[in-house]
Amino acid sequence: MGEVLVITSGKGGVGKTTTTANIGTCLAMMGHRVVLVDADIGLRNLDVVMGLENRIVYDLVDVAHGRCRLRQALVRDRRFEGLFLLPAAQTKDKTAVTPEQMRELCQELKKNNDYVLVDCPAGIEQGFRNAIAGADRAIVVTTPEVASVRDADRIIGLLEASELRDISLVINRIRPKMVKKGDMLDVEDVIEHLAIELLGIVPEDELIIISTNKGEPAVLNSHSKAGEAYRNISKRILGEDVPFMNLDESPGFMSRMKRLLGFRTG
Amino acid sequence: MLEILSRIFGKEASQASKNVARERLRLVLMHDRLEISPQIMEALRDDIIKVITNYLVIDEGATEIAFERGKNSMALVASIPVLKMKRIPQKKDTG
């Protein structure tokens, strides 16, 4: 019996879909059977981020309404053994599926897979209620901005109210240079307010845009800092104790000089 | 000139932006989280009255308890008309 994780945020554009694609790909890379479910009915994106948009035949709504069997709607990712996508419908809206149908669907998917990752739509209406209906765990994605942290706080409240208590946080798009300059909220500022377990910190990374352009999740790129962060997050989901990444990747002038002169810099 | 100077010594000026964000976040969350449901507000009111009536006789019907929002703070403001003190037996120290 597998586990259902919902990736949610409240606010749009903070990286839910990117997070879902990367964690899912990485878990599959590590040999697990994974299904990615795009719960954003009417605005499907996960297929594009995964590079599977040309292979969709049926979608989640077709499955929920019995127009096809679940197995027929799953798009197999040819890059990995055991990675599948259940795409959202593009022409329906969020009311096309009920929380009850989503719960059944998740139950069904759990039977034959290790991890079911549900990419939740932005907002707190029915799309959100659908996405969390069958979840065992929730990953809340936020960026270090007031609006995004505020929405994350609201989402955490709603998750707790619906008895989903295993909630952890991914702080996305941290810019270490701006944090250092005091121009961006840092990790401590965010967790201090949200008071939930930190699952990972993902630095802003241009390679994410390139990987999205190509439809190849950044975890596949060994040069991507964000990809590395997502690999760490995936290991933590599996229960490994992985230290948080040191984001000070670009040493300042002084430490560069010190290094040139042969001093050791921590 | 001033701009160049402030850019050179820009650290303190820009330090503010994170601190501004932090303070705004704190306030916005405080406001959001105080969107308490009427049921919880009622329970809070009842609990407060229960504690106070251990010591005072109050006019429960005229008691008002509400949150008041200031610009930088939030307060729980209660108006509780006191009718009289209760005579509370002094507890002896039993050691």
Side-chain angles (χ1 to χ4, degrees):
Chain A
M1 194 66 143
E3 229 185 343
V4 180
L5 288 87
V6 61
I7 290 88
T8 182
S9 70
K11 190 174 178 299
V14 299
K16 285 180 294 296
T17 303
T18 306
T19 300
T20 309
N22 277 288
I23 294 175
T25 304
C26 192
L27 289 172
M29 257 164 65
M30 296 193 257
H32 297 276
R33 265 185 81 91
V34 179
V35 177
L36 307 177
V37 179
D38 189 347
D40 200 347
I41 296 164
L43 288 171
R44 74 172 171 219
N45 289 140
L46 186 54
D47 54 336
V48 175
V49 175
M50 291 298 295
L52 298 171
E53 68 274 19
N54 292 327
R55 306 208 7 242
I56 296 173
V57 182
Y58 295 108
D59 57 52
L60 195 156
V61 177
D62 293 326
V63 177
H65 292 190
R67 283 193 288 268
C68 69
R69 273 173 296 138
L70 178 53
R71 220 161 40 87
Q72 291 175 289
L74 293 177
V75 181
R76 199 172 72 84
D77 191 319
R78 296 199 182 105
R79 290 165 292 194
F80 302 97
E81 193 70 37
L83 179 60
F84 300 87
L85 169 73
L86 179 57
Q90 181 67 341
T91 51
K92 310 286 186 323
D93 68 33
K94 274 144 193 149
T95 55
V97 180
T98 64
E100 197 41 58
Q101 288 171 323
M102 277 299 286
R103 200 171 296 128
E104 276 170 31
L105 186 71
C106 289
Q107 281 301 327
E108 197 56 37
L109 287 170
K110 258 159 86 163
K111 285 182 193 159
N112 299 316
N113 297 283
D114 300 315
Y115 291 96
V116 179
L117 305 188
V118 182
D119 184 17
C120 180
I124 52 174
E125 292 82 27
Q126 186 168 349
F128 167 74
R129 287 199 299 276
N130 283 342
I132 67 167
D136 304 305
R137 287 164 79 173
I139 297 174
V140 174
V141 183
T142 188
T143 58
E145 289 158 273
V146 178
S148 160
V149 178
R150 176 198 207 172
D151 288 2
D153 185 66
R154 183 103 169 83
I155 285 293
I156 292 165
L158 291 171
L159 290 170
E160 285 175 345
S162 52
E163 304 291 308
L164 195 59
R165 305 212 179 270
D166 190 341
I167 310 172
S168 53
L169 184 72
V170 168
I171 305 178
N172 196 13
R173 302 233 186 104
I174 289 256
R175 295 170 178 237
K177 277 184 197 155
M178 291 195 74
V179 171
K180 214 168 178 181
K181 266 172 57 192
D183 274 329
M184 183 175 260
L185 291 170
D186 62 26
V187 174
E188 281 73 32
D189 295 328
V190 178
I191 10 187
E192 180 197 326
H193 283 111
L194 296 183
I196 56 170
E197 187 205 339
L198 182 64
L199 181 64
I201 311 161
V202 184
E204 176 84 70
D205 184 354
E206 288 183 359
L207 289 175
I208 287 284
I209 296 170
I210 296 171
S211 89
T212 312
N213 289 344
K214 295 184 186 166
E216 294 167 0
V219 284
L220 302 176
N221 183 341
S222 56
H223 301 293
S224 166
K225 271 281 182 190
E228 187 186 339
Y230 281 122
R231 284 193 291 276
N232 289 344
I233 288 171
S234 305
K235 288 181 195 161
R236 289 187 201 111
I237 288 174
L238 297 172
E240 275 182 53
D241 191 9
V242 187
F244 289 106
M245 231 161 108
N246 178 17
L247 292 179
D248 268 342
E249 96 280 24
S250 49
F253 176 74
M254 281 310 285
S255 60
R256 251 194 318 241
M257 286 306 288
K258 279 183 194 161
R259 197 172 297 164
L260 275 177
L261 296 170
F263 288 101
R264 283 183 61 120
T265 55
Chain B
M1 186 63 198
L2 204 70
E3 201 178 305
I4 294 167
L5 269 179
S6 73
R7 209 173 287 166
I8 293 169
F9 299 103
K11 190 122 188 184
E12 259 126 275
S14 67
Q15 199 80 30
S17 114
K18 167 204 164 139
N19 293 339
V20 170
R22 196 158 53 177
E23 184 57 15
R24 291 178 61 214
L25 179 62
R26 189 181 70 79
L27 286 171
V28 103
L29 289 184
M30 192 167 69
H31 281 235
D32 286 358
R33 287 171 183 171
L34 282 176
E35 296 293 333
I36 294 180
S37 71
Q39 290 91 330
I40 291 179
M41 200 62 210
E42 192 66 23
L44 173 66
R45 185 176 175 277
D46 290 349
D47 278 354
I48 289 174
I49 288 175
K50 206 159 48 184
V51 171
I52 289 175
T53 49
N54 287 335
Y55 303 90
L56 306 166
V57 179
I58 61 169
D59 184 354
E60 287 187 29
T63 295
E64 276 173 32
I65 292 163
F67 286 103
E68 219 160 75
R69 289 164 188 214
K71 192 163 177 290
N72 292 307
S73 63
M74 184 77 80
L76 181 65
V77 178
S79 164
I80 306 170
V82 180
L83 301 177
K84 60 179 179 184
M85 290 292 290
K86 271 191 176 173
R87 204 169 294 138
I88 301 158
Q90 296 280 315
K91 273 188 198 151
K92 287 244 168 75
D93 192 3
T94 49

